[in-house]
Amino acid sequence: MPRRGSSRRKRRTHVADDGGGANDAVGPAKQPRSLVVRRGKVPAPLRELVTDIRSMLLPATAERLKERRRNTLRDYTAVAPTLGLSHLWLLSATETGSYLKIAGVPVGPTATFRVDAYSLAKDVRGFQRRPVSLSPADVRSPPLLVLNNWGAAAAADKKVALVAELFRHTVPPLDVRTVVLSDVRRVVLVDREDASGAIHLRQYALRVARAGLSRAVRKMIVRGKVPHLAGMADIADLVNPSGTATGMATAAGVWSSDSEADDGAGGGGATAELPPLPQAVRGVRRGARSSVKLVEIGPRLRLSLVKVEAGVCGGEVLYHAHVVKSAAEAAATASRLVEREETRKRRREEQESNVARKAEAKRAKRERRQAAAAARAAERGAATAADGGGLRSGDSGSDGGAEGDSDDEGGWVIDDGEEGESSDDGGGYTPDGGSDGGSDGGSDGGSDGGSDDGSDGGSGSGSD
């Protein structure tokens, strides 16, 4: 930023995107954000499932959202534009089963699924031999969404296409031109069965390793762990083990199971040429052959589609698995929805007019009060001006310069010695007597005990 004098002057401004960029589909403003909440009273396992689904949708969701029982659907839809939400995942439980609703906000649609079966993430890790735990780096980027077996069904059935689009827009998309391979650490699989129409939702951790190396060599290179060499005659047996026709080594510690053998490492199996990596990915350099391994981390869900609605948890029912309506019933339902929407619009207009009318009445009342207050202030000002400019102080004497003036409050007055009264110190402070020619009844401590006659213009003569 250039400087002008002692201050800096801003030259560059933030220009809004005109929509012609290459990354518009994955820009920050277009990123989907979901909110996973529960509705009503749900059992403890279902509350844990809410936490697992939030971890699956990270980082485009609120992982530590605090919910309250008094929160309603209207509360979430009201804050959706402010928070930039695009979808709501609502989990609920009834006496017949558990249900999951995925709603697009603010206009819909909403797909209602019955949760036929589910497994928590801790249950999936519990039956694995080598469970994988997610690190903060694994959830820093969105997962890779894989929709399996949806193409032909979506082309033939509109409801299937609608549900597929709902799942597709729940997870942020990835741009293959700018994606960093090391950031892709998770995979979310949404699989659909053709026969029953059931939907399976899984989450996997994606692990990349170098191909063409035995497990012992990979441990020694990657982890720095020296394998067990007691049963080997030569170090060459570690790299190119000799054994059975399947490539299984007789030495202990080289191969542990068939599932952990890589392509080309055994020597007897078919070797598949893997494409070289265009980028370096977590320990595998660019251009090297690699193997990709998916480890399930949970949760697991088996869903059955029950209902599809046009709005947010309401509106026209586009599909229902248990209710089939005729053309007349569908037309009656559509007309009822139109009438309901017209009634809602009319009530909204009436409410807005009532609010405007009350605001106008309140403003007129405030103006009347202000005018009345101004009139009272003007009257008080006129009355003050008519009285002569304020209150006057009262005097008890007839003339302002008469002797023996009295103070209303009984304070002290200055005796200036004009009445013929004498004092030892030539005039001082005396108490106000309140009458003309008041006599001094007390004896002066510094005089010879004479009395003062107190007559006007006379001289004081003292006698023993």
Side-chain angles (χ1 to χ4, degrees), residues 164 190 205 333:
V190 183
T333 302

Side-chain angles (χ1 to χ4, degrees), residues 224-266:
K225 184 177 180 180
V226 179
H228 185 64
L229 304 176
M232 298 183 184
D234 194 348
I235 191 64
D237 297 339
L238 180 65
V239 180
N240 188 16
S242 59
T244 61
T246 58
M248 295 298 296
T250 57
V254 178
W255 300 102
S256 60
S257 63
D258 292 337
S259 62
E260 295 175 351
D262 293 323
D263 294 336

Side-chain angles (χ1 to χ4, degrees), residues 282-297:
R282 296 191 295 276
V284 181
R285 69 178 184 271
R286 178 180 179 181
R289 293 198 310 163
S290 63
S291 62
V292 177
K293 184 178 181 181
L294 297 179
V295 182
E296 187 174 4
I297 55 179

Side-chain angles (χ1 to χ4, degrees), residues 183-250:
D183 293 339
V184 182
R185 296 172 177 263
R186 293 176 296 146
V187 176
V188 173
L189 174 65
V190 183
D191 180 63
R192 183 182 179 275
E193 296 180 2
D194 285 334
S196 61
I199 300 172
H200 298 272
L201 188 63
R202 305 286 182 89
Q203 182 184 198
Y204 298 90
L206 192 147
R207 296 293 181 260
V208 180
R210 293 189 61 179
L213 299 177
S214 65
R215 181 168 175 262
V217 174
R218 185 169 63 248
K219 281 186 177 182
M220 184 173 59
I221 295 177
V222 178
R223 303 180 186 178
K225 184 177 180 180
V226 179
H228 185 64
L229 304 176
M232 298 183 184
D234 194 348
I235 191 64
D237 297 339
L238 180 65
V239 180
N240 188 16
S242 59
T244 61
T246 58
M248 295 298 296
T250 57

Side-chain angles (χ1 to χ4, degrees), residues 335-350:
S335 63
R336 186 171 62 252
L337 291 175
V338 171
E339 183 180 358
R340 182 188 305 173
E341 186 63 28
E342 291 178 353
T343 304
R344 184 180 303 172
K345 183 179 180 181
R346 184 177 65 255
R347 289 178 179 176
R348 187 181 300 112
E349 292 176 354
E350 292 177 358

Side-chain angles (χ1 to χ4, degrees), residues 83 278 322 347 438:
L83 301 179
H322 308 297
R347 289 178 179 176

